[in-house]
Amino acid sequence: MRDYMQIAFEEAKKGVESGDGGPFGAVVVKDGEIIATAHNEVLKRNDPTAHAEVLAIRRACAKLGHFELKGCELYATGEPCPMCFSAVFWARLERVFFCNTKQEAASIGFDDEFITEVLLRKRHSPIPFIHKPQDSCKALLRLWMDKEDKVMY
């Protein structure tokens, strides 16, 4: 059996050495086959969402031609942040293996605990989220509900 975590480690190391982003790598595996690999590319892409897990999920979905990754596993060098955690659920991965914990990542400056606290309403958001209801936006919900050929996800 291949050591998928070692492959994630090698991806992360490649990303750090190239200056692409932080020390994070990820591998998506299905039935013992590597579907996709990625490392953090936040700096390379100037994209705060270019985390290793998200990029690996995007690549795996593109390769498999589907928005769900049922039957797939994710191997990540770090415990997923709230964004990556959500991506794992939206992709419907079967399981996640990770090496370094959130606390270990926080010890080198990658602390996302404040996001979790905002989500749990233990802390107020430093960014205002303002509800602006409009009939036109409500019409979008009706448009979706009335669409006969919609694919639920």
Side-chain angles (χ1 to χ4, degrees), residues 72-130:
C72 294
E73 301 172 334
L74 177 73
Y75 291 78
T77 59
E79 185 175 358
C81 73
M83 177 183 66
C84 295
F85 180 89
S86 297
V88 163
F89 277 87
W90 284 119
R92 293 168 175 80
L93 287 154
E94 294 291 323
R95 68 181 57 87
V96 176
F97 300 92
F98 66 92
C99 259
N100 297 323
T101 65
K102 288 182 174 204
Q103 294 78 13
E104 290 168 318
S107 75
I108 62 164
F110 293 94
D111 190 356
D112 58 29
E113 185 60 26
F114 72 95
I115 297 171
T116 301
E117 290 175 356
V118 169
L119 290 171
L120 295 175
R121 308 236 191 258
K122 292 182 178 180
R123 178 190 290 205
H124 290 329
S125 173
I127 301 169
F129 283 74
I130 302 158

Side-chain angles (χ1 to χ4, degrees), residues 3 6 8 12-14 20 38 44 47-48 67 81 95 106 108 115-117 123 134 139 145-147 149 151 153:
D3 187 349
Q6 180 63 32
K13 186 176 179 199
K14 181 170 63 175
D20 289 349
K44 176 182 179 181
D47 178 354
F67 60 85
C81 73
R95 68 181 57 87
I108 62 164
I115 297 171
T116 301
E117 290 175 356
R123 178 190 290 205
Q134 295 182 12
M145 287 306 300
D146 293 343
K147 184 175 174 55
D149 62 343
V151 176
Y153 59 96

